[in-house]
Amino acid sequence: MRIDASTRALVTGASKGIGRALAEALAARGAAVGLAARGADEAQAAALGGRAIALPCDVADAASVQGAVERFAAEAGGLDLVIANAGVAHYGRFESQDPELHERMTRINWLGTVHTARAALPHLRAGGGGHLAIVSSGAGLRAFPEAAVYGATKAAQRAFAEALRHELAGSGVSVTTVFPGEIVSSLHDHEKATMPAWYHGDERAAPASELAAAVLAGIEADKRRVAYPREVSLLALNAVAPGLVDRLLRRLRGPSAAPRR
Ligand SMILES: NC(=O)c1ccc[n+]([C@@H]2O[C@H](COP(=O)([O-])OP(=O)(O)OC[C@H]3O[C@@H](n4cnc5c(N)ncnc54)[C@H](OP(=O)(O)O)[C@@H]3O)[C@@H](O)[C@H]2O)c1
């Protein structure tokens, strides 16, 4: 698909971070943009220009996402592109983590993606050539210690998107999975002091605007996957050579990234 002033795009998790950068990149192309997030408001929409619509919603609640999608499609006159990006992260050792955080990540990251896809697909199909992009993570290719449940939600998104892309063959609708590496955002603001040793932090993270540009180019080229920074795609080797990836990660991120030898 081409992304231009005729495109009607909805981004979940568009109030901050990567979703915000995606919304800005879409608005810069002249697209009508729906900003879906719990904290989405009129001021955020106004800052993106006249064609942006604030869609306050909770992706963990199927009816709430459905309402946001229906409202956007009605106001924009249809729906061409949906980016399921909303997500939360809670790092820490599995056994000492509050089980409520496990359920929260599952409800928002994984079930939120399912709810978003379910609500969006009928509209994308109706347009005849729509696109769904799902923001997973490098952690969906190779999960990291102290992020076991987070990684599991990201791997669930990857598996879902892979199957859906094939399932939608011939429908005109396509699916791209996005694998960000470390990107500047608010994702870890609540746990900056307790991040695992293998985490590099914002100093070495890539700007969200660069990821957003790569995502839009990947959607236009109907790429199966967009990994950014590009070296994140090396984590996919984990499926066939996990020992090799462990050695690579130990060298790049230190022993905490792969402590078991
Ligand atoms: N930053 C990274 O290094 C990185 C790396 C790999 C993958 N990712 C993935 O990228 C995606 C975006 O994260 P980010 O880094 O941009 O984090 P962020 O700056 O914290 O933004 C997260 C966005 O998700 C929204 N959100 C959270 N819970 C929601 C809910 N229940 N319903 C609707 N919206 C919700 C937030 O808005 P409200 O709080 O207003 O609802 C916010 O707009 C996530 O899926 C994350 O896993 C990020």
Side-chain angles (χ1 to χ4, degrees), residues 106 123 147 170 208 247:
T106 302
H123 293 283
R247 284 198 294 282

Side-chain angles (χ1 to χ4, degrees), residues 10-12 22 26 81-86 132-135 215-216 219:
L10 184 150
V11 182
T12 71
L22 286 164
L26 288 161
L81 168 63
V82 172
I83 306 182
N85 159 78
L132 172 66
I134 294 178
V135 180
V215 171
L216 296 204
I219 291 168

Side-chain angles (χ1 to χ4, degrees), residues 12-19 36-40 57-60 85-88 104 108-109 135-138 150 154 157 179-188 199:
T12 71
S15 63
K16 292 184 275 204
I18 293 170
R38 292 165 308 176
C57 73
D58 181 349
V59 297
N85 159 78
V88 292
R104 179 167 197 260
I108 296 174
N109 300 2
V135 180
S136 168
S137 168
Y150 176 75
K154 295 286 140 185
Q157 288 178 299
F179 297 100
E182 286 174 0
I183 306 293
V184 178
S185 79
S186 311
L187 191 65
H188 301 299
Y199 179 73

Side-chain angles (χ1 to χ4, degrees), residues 25-92:
L26 288 161
R29 302 270 193 108
V33 189
L35 309 175
R38 292 165 308 176
D41 63 27
E42 296 305 331
Q44 290 170 4
L48 288 183
R51 302 190 68 212
I53 301 171
L55 303 164
C57 73
D58 181 349
V59 297
D61 176 341
S64 178
V65 190
Q66 181 83 34
V69 169
E70 298 303 332
R71 190 186 144 208
F72 180 73
E75 291 191 23
L79 182 60
D80 307 295
L81 168 63
V82 172
I83 306 182
N85 159 78
V88 292
H90 297 281
Y91 287 2

Side-chain angles (χ1 to χ4, degrees), residues 227-252:
Y228 192 87
R230 290 188 64 173
E231 57 268 28
V232 172
S233 58
L234 288 174
L235 291 171
L237 285 172
N238 185 60
V240 289
L244 173 70
V245 172
D246 283 356
R247 284 198 294 282
L248 189 67
L249 287 174
R250 273 197 287 272
R251 183 179 301 184
L252 296 174

